[in-house]
PDB file of all heavy atoms in Angstrom:
ATOM      1  N   ASP A 221      18.926  30.159   5.496  1.00 37.00           N
ATOM      2  CA  ASP A 221      18.872  31.617   5.605  1.00 37.00           C
ATOM      3  C   ASP A 221      19.324  32.016   7.000  1.00 37.00           C
ATOM      4  O   ASP A 221      18.985  31.370   7.989  1.00 37.00           O
ATOM      5  CB  ASP A 221      17.423  32.067   5.346  1.00 37.00           C
ATOM      6  CG  ASP A 221      17.315  33.589   5.350  1.00 37.00           C
ATOM      7  OD1 ASP A 221      18.177  34.259   4.764  1.00 37.00           O
ATOM      8  OD2 ASP A 221      16.362  34.075   5.903  1.00 37.00           O
ATOM      9  N   HIS A 224      16.983  38.281   8.390  1.00 36.00           N
ATOM     10  CA  HIS A 224      16.787  39.541   7.676  1.00 36.00           C
ATOM     11  C   HIS A 224      16.305  39.339   6.241  1.00 36.00           C
ATOM     12  O   HIS A 224      16.285  40.255   5.456  1.00 36.00           O
ATOM     13  CB  HIS A 224      18.077  40.372   7.649  1.00 36.00           C
ATOM     14  CG  HIS A 224      18.534  40.782   9.009  1.00 36.00           C
ATOM     15  ND1 HIS A 224      19.353  39.987   9.754  1.00 36.00           N
ATOM     16  CD2 HIS A 224      18.259  41.843   9.749  1.00 36.00           C
ATOM     17  CE1 HIS A 224      19.590  40.563  10.906  1.00 36.00           C
ATOM     18  NE2 HIS A 224      18.941  41.688  10.942  1.00 36.00           N
ATOM     19  N   GLY A 225      15.891  38.109   5.909  1.00 40.00           N
ATOM     20  CA  GLY A 225      15.351  37.869   4.589  1.00 40.00           C
ATOM     21  C   GLY A 225      16.397  37.877   3.482  1.00 40.00           C
ATOM     22  O   GLY A 225      16.068  37.928   2.311  1.00 40.00           O
ATOM     23  N   HIS A 226      17.675  37.801   3.854  1.00 39.00           N
ATOM     24  CA  HIS A 226      18.743  37.749   2.847  1.00 39.00           C
ATOM     25  C   HIS A 226      19.469  36.440   2.994  1.00 39.00           C
ATOM     26  O   HIS A 226      19.655  35.939   4.093  1.00 39.00           O
ATOM     27  CB  HIS A 226      19.764  38.877   3.094  1.00 39.00           C
ATOM     28  CG  HIS A 226      19.165  40.259   3.064  1.00 39.00           C
ATOM     29  ND1 HIS A 226      18.655  40.830   1.928  1.00 39.00           N
ATOM     30  CD2 HIS A 226      18.949  41.150   4.048  1.00 39.00           C
ATOM     31  CE1 HIS A 226      18.197  42.033   2.229  1.00 39.00           C
ATOM     32  NE2 HIS A 226      18.367  42.238   3.487  1.00 39.00           N
ATOM     33  N   THR A 227      19.924  35.881   1.901  1.00 37.00           N
ATOM     34  CA  THR A 227      20.692  34.642   1.958  1.00 37.00           C
ATOM     35  C   THR A 227      22.134  34.973   2.324  1.00 37.00           C
ATOM     36  O   THR A 227      22.646  36.037   2.035  1.00 37.00           O
ATOM     37  CB  THR A 227      20.629  33.879   0.629  1.00 37.00           C
ATOM     38  OG1 THR A 227      21.329  32.642   0.826  1.00 37.00           O
ATOM     39  CG2 THR A 227      21.258  34.616  -0.514  1.00 37.00           C
ATOM     40  N   SER A 228      22.761  34.021   2.987  1.00 34.00           N
ATOM     41  CA  SER A 228      24.182  34.190   3.316  1.00 34.00           C
ATOM     42  C   SER A 228      25.063  33.432   2.345  1.00 34.00           C
ATOM     43  O   SER A 228      26.275  33.445   2.455  1.00 34.00           O
ATOM     44  CB  SER A 228      24.460  33.722   4.757  1.00 34.00           C
ATOM     45  OG  SER A 228      24.165  32.340   4.858  1.00 34.00           O
ATOM     46  N   SER A 231      27.029  31.901  -3.443  1.00 36.00           N
ATOM     47  CA  SER A 231      26.788  31.275  -4.733  1.00 36.00           C
ATOM     48  C   SER A 231      25.356  31.472  -5.214  1.00 36.00           C
ATOM     49  O   SER A 231      25.059  31.427  -6.390  1.00 36.00           O
ATOM     50  CB  SER A 231      27.098  29.772  -4.679  1.00 36.00           C
ATOM     51  OG  SER A 231      26.144  29.111  -3.877  1.00 36.00           O
ATOM     52  N   MET A 232      24.434  31.712  -4.291  1.00 38.00           N
ATOM     53  CA  MET A 232      23.062  31.941  -4.673  1.00 38.00           C
ATOM     54  C   MET A 232      22.825  33.397  -5.056  1.00 38.00           C
ATOM     55  O   MET A 232      21.787  33.732  -5.597  1.00 38.00           O
ATOM     56  CB  MET A 232      22.118  31.567  -3.513  1.00 38.00           C
ATOM     57  CG  MET A 232      22.168  30.102  -3.138  1.00 38.00           C
ATOM     58  SD  MET A 232      21.782  29.011  -4.480  1.00 38.00           S
ATOM     59  CE  MET A 232      20.054  29.243  -4.581  1.00 38.00           C
ATOM     60  N   SER A 233      23.777  34.244  -4.808  1.00 38.00           N
ATOM     61  CA  SER A 233      23.603  35.666  -5.104  1.00 38.00           C
ATOM     62  C   SER A 233      24.374  36.116  -6.327  1.00 38.00           C
ATOM     63  O   SER A 233      24.465  37.292  -6.607  1.00 38.00           O
ATOM     64  CB  SER A 233      24.050  36.498  -3.891  1.00 38.00           C
ATOM     65  OG  SER A 233      23.234  36.216  -2.798  1.00 38.00           O
ATOM     66  N   ASP A 234      24.933  35.169  -7.061  1.00 38.00           N
ATOM     67  CA  ASP A 234      25.721  35.573  -8.214  1.00 38.00           C
ATOM     68  C   ASP A 234      24.810  35.819  -9.432  1.00 38.00           C
ATOM     69  O   ASP A 234      23.622  35.589  -9.408  1.00 38.00           O
ATOM     70  CB  ASP A 234      26.821  34.546  -8.508  1.00 38.00           C
ATOM     71  CG  ASP A 234      26.259  33.184  -8.915  1.00 38.00           C
ATOM     72  OD1 ASP A 234      25.036  33.067  -9.207  1.00 38.00           O
ATOM     73  OD2 ASP A 234      27.052  32.243  -8.945  1.00 38.00           O
ATOM     74  N   GLY A 235      25.394  36.231 -10.514  1.00 37.00           N
ATOM     75  CA  GLY A 235      24.659  36.547 -11.712  1.00 37.00           C
ATOM     76  C   GLY A 235      24.021  35.339 -12.381  1.00 37.00           C
ATOM     77  O   GLY A 235      23.143  35.488 -13.211  1.00 37.00           O
ATOM     78  N   HIS A 236      24.482  34.125 -12.031  1.00 39.00           N
ATOM     79  CA  HIS A 236      23.932  32.922 -12.669  1.00 39.00           C
ATOM     80  C   HIS A 236      22.447  32.859 -12.538  1.00 39.00           C
ATOM     81  O   HIS A 236      21.736  32.498 -13.473  1.00 39.00           O
ATOM     82  CB  HIS A 236      24.601  31.688 -12.046  1.00 39.00           C
ATOM     83  CG  HIS A 236      24.055  30.417 -12.571  1.00 39.00           C
ATOM     84  ND1 HIS A 236      23.159  29.632 -11.862  1.00 39.00           N
ATOM     85  CD2 HIS A 236      24.274  29.779 -13.753  1.00 39.00           C
ATOM     86  CE1 HIS A 236      22.858  28.570 -12.585  1.00 39.00           C
ATOM     87  NE2 HIS A 236      23.521  28.643 -13.711  1.00 39.00           N
ATOM     88  N   ARG A 237      21.904  33.196 -11.367  1.00 49.00           N
ATOM     89  CA  ARG A 237      20.490  33.097 -11.149  1.00 49.00           C
ATOM     90  C   ARG A 237      19.712  34.330 -11.606  1.00 49.00           C
ATOM     91  O   ARG A 237      18.536  34.302 -11.749  1.00 49.00           O
ATOM     92  CB  ARG A 237      20.189  32.866  -9.670  1.00 49.00           C
ATOM     93  CG  ARG A 237      20.251  31.433  -9.318  1.00 49.00           C
ATOM     94  CD  ARG A 237      19.398  31.169  -8.142  1.00 49.00           C
ATOM     95  NE  ARG A 237      18.983  32.413  -7.578  1.00 49.00           N
ATOM     96  CZ  ARG A 237      18.773  32.622  -6.301  1.00 49.00           C
ATOM     97  NH1 ARG A 237      18.938  31.653  -5.472  1.00 49.00           N
ATOM     98  NH2 ARG A 237      18.400  33.779  -5.846  1.00 49.00           N
ATOM     99  N   ASP A 238      20.394  35.446 -11.776  1.00 47.00           N
ATOM    100  CA  ASP A 238      19.698  36.667 -12.156  1.00 47.00           C
ATOM    101  C   ASP A 238      19.161  36.613 -13.572  1.00 47.00           C
ATOM    102  O   ASP A 238      18.214  37.308 -13.907  1.00 47.00           O
ATOM    103  CB  ASP A 238      20.626  37.882 -12.049  1.00 47.00           C
ATOM    104  CG  ASP A 238      20.880  38.280 -10.619  1.00 47.00           C
ATOM    105  OD1 ASP A 238      20.039  37.921  -9.753  1.00 47.00           O
ATOM    106  OD2 ASP A 238      21.896  38.931 -10.384  1.00 47.00           O
ATOM    107  N   GLY A 239      19.787  35.778 -14.419  1.00 53.00           N
ATOM    108  CA  GLY A 239      19.364  35.747 -15.810  1.00 53.00           C
ATOM    109  C   GLY A 239      19.517  37.136 -16.403  1.00 53.00           C
ATOM    110  O   GLY A 239      20.478  37.829 -16.196  1.00 53.00           O
ATOM    111  N   GLY A 242      18.216  41.348 -13.825  1.00 92.00           N
ATOM    112  CA  GLY A 242      18.910  42.313 -13.014  1.00 92.00           C
ATOM    113  C   GLY A 242      18.331  42.477 -11.641  1.00 92.00           C
ATOM    114  O   GLY A 242      17.548  41.645 -11.173  1.00 92.00           O
ATOM    115  N   THR A 243      18.731  43.566 -10.965  1.00 95.00           N
ATOM    116  CA  THR A 243      18.285  43.799  -9.593  1.00 95.00           C
ATOM    117  C   THR A 243      17.729  45.227  -9.448  1.00 95.00           C
ATOM    118  O   THR A 243      18.011  46.118 -10.267  1.00 95.00           O
ATOM    119  CB  THR A 243      19.444  43.625  -8.609  1.00 95.00           C
ATOM    120  OG1 THR A 243      20.486  44.567  -8.931  1.00 95.00           O
ATOM    121  CG2 THR A 243      19.994  42.204  -8.652  1.00 95.00           C
ATOM    122  N   LEU A 244      16.930  45.420  -8.419  1.00 95.00           N
ATOM    123  CA  LEU A 244      16.321  46.704  -8.123  1.00 95.00           C
ATOM    124  C   LEU A 244      16.509  47.005  -6.641  1.00 95.00           C
ATOM    125  O   LEU A 244      15.962  46.278  -5.784  1.00 95.00           O
ATOM    126  CB  LEU A 244      14.850  46.716  -8.486  1.00 95.00           C
ATOM    127  CG  LEU A 244      14.079  48.005  -8.209  1.00 95.00           C
ATOM    128  CD1 LEU A 244      14.623  49.146  -9.070  1.00 95.00           C
ATOM    129  CD2 LEU A 244      12.601  47.792  -8.444  1.00 95.00           C
ATOM    130  N   GLU A 245      17.330  47.996  -6.320  1.00 96.00           N
ATOM    131  CA  GLU A 245      17.609  48.381  -4.923  1.00 96.00           C
ATOM    132  C   GLU A 245      16.382  49.118  -4.348  1.00 96.00           C
ATOM    133  O   GLU A 245      15.771  49.956  -4.992  1.00 96.00           O
ATOM    134  CB  GLU A 245      18.831  49.298  -4.889  1.00 96.00           C
ATOM    135  CG  GLU A 245      19.274  49.715  -3.515  1.00 96.00           C
ATOM    136  CD  GLU A 245      19.931  48.632  -2.688  1.00 96.00           C
ATOM    137  OE1 GLU A 245      20.367  47.603  -3.268  1.00 96.00           O
ATOM    138  OE2 GLU A 245      20.032  48.814  -1.469  1.00 96.00           O
ATOM    139  N   PRO A 253      11.251  45.241   2.342  1.00 98.00           N
ATOM    140  CA  PRO A 253      10.559  43.952   2.409  1.00 98.00           C
ATOM    141  C   PRO A 253      11.483  42.873   3.008  1.00 98.00           C
ATOM    142  O   PRO A 253      12.719  42.940   2.864  1.00 98.00           O
ATOM    143  CB  PRO A 253      10.237  43.607   0.969  1.00 98.00           C
ATOM    144  CG  PRO A 253      10.315  44.897   0.214  1.00 98.00           C
ATOM    145  CD  PRO A 253      11.362  45.707   0.950  1.00 98.00           C
ATOM    146  N   VAL A 255      11.551  38.372   3.637  1.00 98.00           N
ATOM    147  CA  VAL A 255      10.911  37.097   3.286  1.00 98.00           C
ATOM    148  C   VAL A 255      11.539  36.006   4.136  1.00 98.00           C
ATOM    149  O   VAL A 255      12.726  36.022   4.428  1.00 98.00           O
ATOM    150  CB  VAL A 255      11.048  36.787   1.760  1.00 98.00           C
ATOM    151  CG1 VAL A 255      12.498  36.662   1.340  1.00 98.00           C
ATOM    152  CG2 VAL A 255      10.243  35.576   1.363  1.00 98.00           C
ATOM    153  N   TYR A 297      13.517  28.864  -6.785  1.00 97.00           N
ATOM    154  CA  TYR A 297      14.690  28.161  -7.323  1.00 97.00           C
ATOM    155  C   TYR A 297      14.881  26.891  -6.546  1.00 97.00           C
ATOM    156  O   TYR A 297      14.762  26.866  -5.323  1.00 97.00           O
ATOM    157  CB  TYR A 297      15.935  29.023  -7.186  1.00 97.00           C
ATOM    158  CG  TYR A 297      15.846  30.351  -7.884  1.00 97.00           C
ATOM    159  CD1 TYR A 297      15.297  31.461  -7.239  1.00 97.00           C
ATOM    160  CD2 TYR A 297      16.319  30.496  -9.194  1.00 97.00           C
ATOM    161  CE1 TYR A 297      15.216  32.692  -7.882  1.00 97.00           C
ATOM    162  CE2 TYR A 297      16.247  31.726  -9.834  1.00 97.00           C
ATOM    163  CZ  TYR A 297      15.701  32.801  -9.174  1.00 97.00           C
ATOM    164  OH  TYR A 297      15.603  34.019  -9.814  1.00 97.00           O
ATOM    165  N   THR A 324      15.051  28.138  -2.741  1.00 98.00           N
ATOM    166  CA  THR A 324      15.198  29.568  -2.487  1.00 98.00           C
ATOM    167  C   THR A 324      14.020  30.316  -3.095  1.00 98.00           C
ATOM    168  O   THR A 324      13.605  29.987  -4.207  1.00 98.00           O
ATOM    169  CB  THR A 324      16.508  30.110  -3.069  1.00 98.00           C
ATOM    170  OG1 THR A 324      17.602  29.408  -2.491  1.00 98.00           O
ATOM    171  CG2 THR A 324      16.678  31.608  -2.821  1.00 98.00           C
ATOM    172  N   VAL A 325      13.522  31.289  -2.389  1.00 98.00           N
ATOM    173  CA  VAL A 325      12.507  32.191  -2.949  1.00 98.00           C
ATOM    174  C   VAL A 325      13.072  33.600  -2.889  1.00 98.00           C
ATOM    175  O   VAL A 325      13.648  34.001  -1.896  1.00 98.00           O
ATOM    176  CB  VAL A 325      11.154  32.093  -2.214  1.00 98.00           C
ATOM    177  CG1 VAL A 325      11.243  32.517  -0.774  1.00 98.00           C
ATOM    178  CG2 VAL A 325      10.086  32.907  -2.949  1.00 98.00           C
ATOM    179  N   SER A 326      12.958  34.307  -4.004  1.00 98.00           N
ATOM    180  CA  SER A 326      13.377  35.706  -4.050  1.00 98.00           C
ATOM    181  C   SER A 326      12.152  36.580  -4.218  1.00 98.00           C
ATOM    182  O   SER A 326      11.151  36.154  -4.811  1.00 98.00           O
ATOM    183  CB  SER A 326      14.350  35.943  -5.222  1.00 98.00           C
ATOM    184  OG  SER A 326      13.706  35.721  -6.456  1.00 98.00           O
ATOM    185  N   LEU A 327      12.234  37.804  -3.726  1.00 98.00           N
ATOM    186  CA  LEU A 327      11.163  38.786  -3.969  1.00 98.00           C
ATOM    187  C   LEU A 327      11.575  39.589  -5.190  1.00 98.00           C
ATOM    188  O   LEU A 327      12.725  40.018  -5.314  1.00 98.00           O
ATOM    189  CB  LEU A 327      10.946  39.688  -2.760  1.00 98.00           C
ATOM    190  CG  LEU A 327      10.453  38.994  -1.494  1.00 98.00           C
ATOM    191  CD1 LEU A 327      10.177  40.001  -0.403  1.00 98.00           C
ATOM    192  CD2 LEU A 327       9.232  38.136  -1.766  1.00 98.00           C
ATOM    193  N   ASN A 328      10.617  39.804  -6.079  1.00 97.00           N
ATOM    194  CA  ASN A 328      10.896  40.442  -7.364  1.00 97.00           C
ATOM    195  C   ASN A 328       9.885  41.548  -7.650  1.00 97.00           C
ATOM    196  O   ASN A 328       8.719  41.445  -7.283  1.00 97.00           O
ATOM    197  CB  ASN A 328      10.871  39.417  -8.467  1.00 97.00           C
ATOM    198  CG  ASN A 328      11.941  38.372  -8.291  1.00 97.00           C
ATOM    199  OD1 ASN A 328      11.827  37.502  -7.431  1.00 97.00           O
ATOM    200  ND2 ASN A 328      12.988  38.478  -9.060  1.00 97.00           N
ATOM    201  N   ALA A 334      15.182  41.312  -9.341  1.00 96.00           N
ATOM    202  CA  ALA A 334      15.278  40.859  -7.960  1.00 96.00           C
ATOM    203  C   ALA A 334      15.412  42.082  -7.038  1.00 96.00           C
ATOM    204  O   ALA A 334      16.224  42.954  -7.303  1.00 96.00           O
ATOM    205  CB  ALA A 334      16.492  39.950  -7.789  1.00 96.00           C
ATOM    206  N   LEU A 335      14.607  42.130  -6.010  1.00 97.00           N
ATOM    207  CA  LEU A 335      14.680  43.247  -5.051  1.00 97.00           C
ATOM    208  C   LEU A 335      15.916  43.056  -4.180  1.00 97.00           C
ATOM    209  O   LEU A 335      16.226  41.945  -3.740  1.00 97.00           O
ATOM    210  CB  LEU A 335      13.434  43.279  -4.168  1.00 97.00           C
ATOM    211  CG  LEU A 335      12.107  43.549  -4.883  1.00 97.00           C
ATOM    212  CD1 LEU A 335      10.934  43.579  -3.913  1.00 97.00           C
ATOM    213  CD2 LEU A 335      12.167  44.860  -5.688  1.00 97.00           C
ATOM    214  N   THR A 336      16.611  44.175  -3.932  1.00 97.00           N
ATOM    215  CA  THR A 336      17.813  44.143  -3.092  1.00 97.00           C
ATOM    216  C   THR A 336      17.768  45.251  -2.055  1.00 97.00           C
ATOM    217  O   THR A 336      17.055  46.275  -2.246  1.00 97.00           O
ATOM    218  CB  THR A 336      19.100  44.327  -3.927  1.00 97.00           C
ATOM    219  OG1 THR A 336      19.057  45.595  -4.590  1.00 97.00           O
ATOM    220  CG2 THR A 336      19.262  43.223  -4.963  1.00 97.00           C
ATOM    221  N   HIS A 337      18.492  45.048  -0.986  1.00 96.00           N
ATOM    222  CA  HIS A 337      18.675  46.058   0.055  1.00 96.00           C
ATOM    223  C   HIS A 337      20.142  46.001   0.459  1.00 96.00           C
ATOM    224  O   HIS A 337      20.668  44.946   0.758  1.00 96.00           O
ATOM    225  CB  HIS A 337      17.777  45.794   1.238  1.00 96.00           C
ATOM    226  CG  HIS A 337      17.958  46.786   2.349  1.00 96.00           C
ATOM    227  ND1 HIS A 337      17.651  48.100   2.230  1.00 96.00           N
ATOM    228  CD2 HIS A 337      18.429  46.627   3.603  1.00 96.00           C
ATOM    229  CE1 HIS A 337      17.912  48.740   3.336  1.00 96.00           C
ATOM    230  NE2 HIS A 337      18.394  47.862   4.210  1.00 96.00           N
ATOM    231  N   ASN A 338      20.794  47.187   0.409  1.00 95.00           N
ATOM    232  CA  ASN A 338      22.232  47.264   0.684  1.00 95.00           C
ATOM    233  C   ASN A 338      23.021  46.277  -0.189  1.00 95.00           C
ATOM    234  O   ASN A 338      23.975  45.651   0.240  1.00 95.00           O
ATOM    235  CB  ASN A 338      22.546  47.014   2.156  1.00 95.00           C
ATOM    236  CG  ASN A 338      22.003  48.136   3.035  1.00 95.00           C
ATOM    237  OD1 ASN A 338      21.902  49.290   2.622  1.00 95.00           O
ATOM    238  ND2 ASN A 338      21.647  47.774   4.264  1.00 95.00           N
ATOM    239  N   GLY A 339      22.570  46.127  -1.439  1.00 95.00           N
ATOM    240  CA  GLY A 339      23.270  45.296  -2.391  1.00 95.00           C
ATOM    241  C   GLY A 339      23.015  43.806  -2.274  1.00 95.00           C
ATOM    242  O   GLY A 339      23.563  43.035  -3.057  1.00 95.00           O
ATOM    243  N   GLN A 340      22.208  43.371  -1.299  1.00 97.00           N
ATOM    244  CA  GLN A 340      21.925  41.943  -1.112  1.00 97.00           C
ATOM    245  C   GLN A 340      20.493  41.653  -1.561  1.00 97.00           C
ATOM    246  O   GLN A 340      19.565  42.410  -1.250  1.00 97.00           O
ATOM    247  CB  GLN A 340      22.065  41.538   0.337  1.00 97.00           C
ATOM    248  CG  GLN A 340      23.481  41.537   0.856  1.00 97.00           C
ATOM    249  CD  GLN A 340      23.538  40.881   2.224  1.00 97.00           C
ATOM    250  OE1 GLN A 340      22.635  40.985   3.018  1.00 97.00           O
ATOM    251  NE2 GLN A 340      24.645  40.188   2.470  1.00 97.00           N
ATOM    252  N   LYS A 341      20.338  40.532  -2.270  1.00 97.00           N
ATOM    253  CA  LYS A 341      19.015  40.121  -2.693  1.00 97.00           C
ATOM    254  C   LYS A 341      18.119  39.837  -1.478  1.00 97.00           C
ATOM    255  O   LYS A 341      18.598  39.317  -0.463  1.00 97.00           O
ATOM    256  CB  LYS A 341      19.064  38.870  -3.552  1.00 97.00           C
ATOM    257  CG  LYS A 341      19.607  39.101  -4.907  1.00 97.00           C
ATOM    258  CD  LYS A 341      19.475  37.798  -5.684  1.00 97.00           C
ATOM    259  CE  LYS A 341      20.335  37.870  -6.923  1.00 97.00           C
ATOM    260  NZ  LYS A 341      20.307  36.577  -7.613  1.00 97.00           N
ATOM    261  N   ILE A 342      16.867  40.172  -1.609  1.00 98.00           N
ATOM    262  CA  ILE A 342      15.897  39.862  -0.574  1.00 98.00           C
ATOM    263  C   ILE A 342      15.349  38.492  -0.927  1.00 98.00           C
ATOM    264  O   ILE A 342      14.506  38.354  -1.838  1.00 98.00           O
ATOM    265  CB  ILE A 342      14.828  40.960  -0.498  1.00 98.00           C
ATOM    266  CG1 ILE A 342      15.465  42.290  -0.170  1.00 98.00           C
ATOM    267  CG2 ILE A 342      13.770  40.554   0.555  1.00 98.00           C
ATOM    268  CD1 ILE A 342      14.527  43.477  -0.224  1.00 98.00           C
ATOM    269  N   GLU A 343      15.844  37.475  -0.241  1.00 98.00           N
ATOM    270  CA  GLU A 343      15.486  36.104  -0.497  1.00 98.00           C
ATOM    271  C   GLU A 343      15.700  35.264   0.737  1.00 98.00           C
ATOM    272  O   GLU A 343      16.327  35.709   1.698  1.00 98.00           O
ATOM    273  CB  GLU A 343      16.314  35.533  -1.668  1.00 98.00           C
ATOM    274  CG  GLU A 343      17.784  35.533  -1.443  1.00 98.00           C
ATOM    275  CD  GLU A 343      18.568  35.064  -2.668  1.00 98.00           C
ATOM    276  OE1 GLU A 343      18.046  35.057  -3.790  1.00 98.00           O
ATOM    277  OE2 GLU A 343      19.745  34.705  -2.468  1.00 98.00           O
ATOM    278  N   SER A 344      15.143  34.075   0.719  1.00 98.00           N
ATOM    279  CA  SER A 344      15.273  33.130   1.852  1.00 98.00           C
ATOM    280  C   SER A 344      15.405  31.755   1.282  1.00 98.00           C
ATOM    281  O   SER A 344      14.844  31.435   0.229  1.00 98.00           O
ATOM    282  CB  SER A 344      14.036  33.248   2.764  1.00 98.00           C
ATOM    283  OG  SER A 344      14.146  32.350   3.851  1.00 98.00           O
TER     284      SER A 344
END
Side-chain angles (χ1 to χ4, degrees):
D221 184 43
H224 298 88
H226 303 291
T227 184
S228 62
S231 70
M232 297 303 286
S233 297
D234 64 13
H236 177 257
R237 274 207 349 212
D238 286 338
T243 60
L244 179 64
E245 182 74 17
V255 61
Y297 300 87
T324 301
V325 63
S326 64
L327 296 184
N328 297 74
L335 297 180
T336 61
H337 178 65
N338 293 331
Q340 291 190 325
K341 288 186 195 174
I342 301 173
E343 59 185 18
S344 179

